[in-house]
Amino acid sequence: MRDTPPLDIAGGLLLTAAAGFVDAVGFLRLDGLYTSFMSGNSTQFAVSLAQPGHPVAWEIGLLFVSFLTGGFCGSVVSLRTPGRWGPAAVLAVEAALLAAALSLAFGPAQGPVAPLLAAAMGAQNAALRRSAGFRPGVTFVTGTLFSLSHTLAQAATRIGPALGWLPDACTWLALVAGAVAGGLAYRAHGLEALAAPMLGVGLVLALAVGRAVRAAA
């Protein structure tokens, strides 16, 4: 983490908080399904298939397809966009998807908000790569929590750095804080709350564009 620029760390944590925000909005809107936490959706998908009539399997399946599509498109954009412009291009895709979801809040029919959010979260995972032992901008934290426990053990046994656990702890806290904010905002403002993560992603996008421009100069 010491070798990671502070703006990269801040941007990654902001994206993680945005993912928590979006996941909380999706969870409340979908009565217990997720727009980024596909491990939880996978378990619920399996349970649904074991029940008569498969009550929500099709809805979870749509989230899987949307997440995969977003991740695929984000990865293609990242791989095809040269140099430092890759993260900015992927973030632009994510911002556009969030903007599309937000626009549905102001229409007569709110439409397919959840698939758009899932696609945005899939794309986000392609935006930033692992750096200095942790992955900023992540939309899931199971691996992060295990990594936190492992780095805490390393610190306790003095095998690893005393503060080596800090990146994982900050990532988890960012996601939880974002989810709390998302839950509160959705209950108060409905889908209009999506303006907050869209602005957060837009800020990180602006930073990525600025970096790419400086690198090209």
Side-chain angles (χ1 to χ4, degrees):
M1 188 172 182
R2 289 177 300 177
D3 299 327
T4 306
L7 282 180
D8 281 5
I9 297 172
L13 293 177
L14 183 56
L15 288 178
T16 300
F21 193 110
V22 169
D23 216 23
V25 170
F27 184 86
L28 293 172
R29 181 173 174 81
L30 295 172
D31 296 324
L33 299 180
Y34 303 93
T35 52
S36 71
F37 181 47
M38 293 299 134
S39 297
N41 282 347
S42 297
T43 300
Q44 294 197 55
F45 182 71
V47 171
S48 180
L49 290 177
Q51 296 177 2
H54 313 315
V56 295
W58 69 270
E59 194 171 8
I60 303 174
L62 178 59
L63 293 174
F64 288 152
V65 171
S66 300
F67 187 90
L68 285 168
T69 300
F72 175 82
C73 292
S75 295
V76 168
V77 168
S78 177
L79 292 170
R80 291 294 186 182
T81 305
R84 292 184 177 273
W85 286 103
V90 178
L91 288 170
V93 172
E94 180 186 2
L97 290 167
L98 290 175
L102 175 61
S103 70
L104 295 176
F106 302 99
Q110 292 188 345
V113 173
L116 288 170
L117 295 180
M121 294 300 94
Q124 180 170 307
N125 286 284
L128 296 174
R129 296 180 177 85
R130 180 173 296 274
S131 175
F134 78 112
R135 187 182 182 192
V138 73
T139 68
F140 45 86
V141 294
T142 301
T144 300
L145 279 177
F146 171 75
S147 180
L148 174 59
S149 68
H150 182 69
T151 50
L152 281 171
Q154 288 181 319
T157 56
R158 298 185 179 181
I159 294 176
L163 297 179
W165 52 271
L166 191 58
D168 293 317
C170 289
T171 299
W172 181 78
L173 288 173
L175 188 108
V176 171
V180 171
L184 293 173
Y186 181 75
R187 293 188 184 280
H189 304 290
L191 288 177
E192 294 179 21
L194 291 173
M198 189 188 72
L199 289 173
V201 172
L203 177 59
V204 182
L205 170 58
L207 293 173
V209 169
R211 167 180 291 178
V213 169
R214 290 193 299 273

